[in-house]
Amino acid sequence: MHPTLNIAVKAARRAGQIINRASNDVDLLKVVAKQQSDFVTEVDRAAEAAIIETLREAYPSHGILAEESGATVGRDEEYQWIIDPLDGTTNFIHGFPQYAISIALAHRGQVTQAVVYDPIRNEMFTASKGAGAFLDDRRIRVGKRVKLQDALIGTGFPYRSFDNVDAYLAIFKELTQSCAGIRRPGAAALDLAWVACGRLDGFWEFGLSPWDMAAGTLLITEAGGLATDLAGEPDYLDSGNIVAGSPRIFAQLLQTVQNYKGSALPR
């Protein structure tokens, strides 16, 4: 395992311990609404602090982009950690067991290391650029299905901005009729990890943040899949819009999404 990835795994496990302890007393947590349907708890902040402390002990000069504390420029501007300490906070505060920790390292703007950790199932997804993707110690690959009609597709419903809801609903309607099923578990980082290991065949969503996607997309590409923005370009971290999947399903999913460019579809 690459040394930076090893540190990221250590940070994720430390955050997972905090989250698992707190999950026993969710009703006692103080919850703050950042905006409509977007929440933060003391657990998010404690997990993020633990991750950052672990990373900075090993790499004090690296920059950090974290969901709760924002961006910090490091002395070494070539490296930036991208962190979501608890992706799926709404699930967490409702006791819905689908959330994860996402940690990625970008070097010169390219994500090179990735960790998505599911603390409930104790599943550790990891990837290093050019070295493959793994679930715990097992190499993973995207699914082998070739027809959209046989594919299980993941998505995330709009919950903060509804500017593109009509285009989204049109895509949802078409896919509902043309694939095996659609799932919306509510934690994009984990959804992407599940694409990487073949539990989902594809995924699309609008309006995500870099920390939702950075680790999961490297998992997918290292597992043999594809990930782009809605125009088929590799700018999803900037646009916040993503289509991903195994190669054959990705192509059909992207085409379905692009059919709605006239419906105020975002980039």
Side-chain angles (χ1 to χ4, degrees):
M1 183 178 290
H2 193 280
T4 52
L5 186 62
N6 190 48
I7 293 298
V9 167
K10 179 181 176 182
R13 290 201 181 280
R14 186 174 170 190
Q17 292 173 352
I18 293 169
I19 292 167
N20 281 340
R21 285 197 300 268
S23 69
N24 296 321
D25 297 297
V26 169
D27 292 342
L28 302 179
L29 293 177
K30 181 180 179 180
V31 180
V32 176
K34 294 188 283 187
Q35 54 183 304
Q36 180 181 346
S37 303
D38 190 6
F39 303 99
V40 63
T41 72
E42 56 201 284
V43 178
D44 296 73
R45 295 190 175 103
E48 183 171 293
I51 292 169
I52 291 174
E53 181 180 43
T54 303
L55 297 178
R56 282 190 167 149
E57 284 175 355
Y59 302 103
S61 65
H62 288 187
I64 289 173
L65 174 63
E67 180 175 13
E68 306 307 335
S69 57
T72 303
V73 178
R75 295 192 307 276
D76 188 343
E77 297 182 2
E78 291 190 351
Y79 291 92
Q80 183 185 55
W81 292 96
I82 306 171
I83 303 163
D84 191 337
L86 179 53
D87 184 36
T89 299
T90 301
N91 285 349
F92 176 76
I93 62 179
H94 285 85
F96 188 86
Q98 187 78 2
Y99 43 83
I101 298 147
S102 178
I103 304 172
L105 177 63
H107 179 227
R108 297 179 179 175
Q110 297 294 315
V111 177
T112 59
Q113 309 294 334
V115 167
V116 174
Y117 180 48
D118 178 347
I120 303 168
R121 299 172 183 85
N122 192 28
E123 291 187 333
M124 183 71 70
F125 296 87
T126 60
S128 293
K129 191 172 181 61
F134 294 82
L135 169 50
D136 298 324
D137 295 324
R138 177 174 60 86
R139 182 76 178 261
I140 55 175
R141 301 289 295 177
V142 293
K144 297 180 180 179
R145 293 178 181 85
V146 297
K147 295 180 180 179
L148 186 60
Q149 67 191 49
D150 299 324
L152 186 63
I153 304 297
T155 189
F157 302 146
Y159 67 98
R160 285 181 296 206
S161 172
F162 298 94
D163 293 344
N164 303 298
V165 70
D166 290 339
Y168 175 85
L169 290 174
I171 295 166
F172 183 87
K173 180 179 179 180
E174 179 170 338
L175 284 171
T176 299
Q177 299 174 78
S178 58
C179 72
I182 297 178
R183 301 290 182 267
R184 194 272 189 179
L190 197 52
D191 294 341
L192 294 169
W194 282 17
V195 172
C197 71
R199 293 174 185 170
L200 293 170
D201 299 294
F203 178 84
W204 99 96
E205 189 168 355
F206 305 162
L208 292 172
S209 299
W211 46 78
D212 298 316
M213 300 178 284
T217 49
L218 183 62
L219 288 169
I220 290 171
T221 56
E222 286 298 317
L226 299 169
T228 70
D229 62 17
L230 305 188
E233 301 296 333
D235 295 326
Y236 46 85
L237 292 183
D238 294 325
S239 70
N241 306 311
I242 187 168
V243 177
S246 58
R248 296 288 291 274
I249 300 302
F250 165 84
Q252 296 165 76
L253 181 59
L254 181 62
Q255 183 59 60
T256 301
V257 171
Q258 290 182 334
N259 287 341
Y260 293 89
K261 282 188 174 180
S263 304
L265 190 66
R267 175 168 163 262

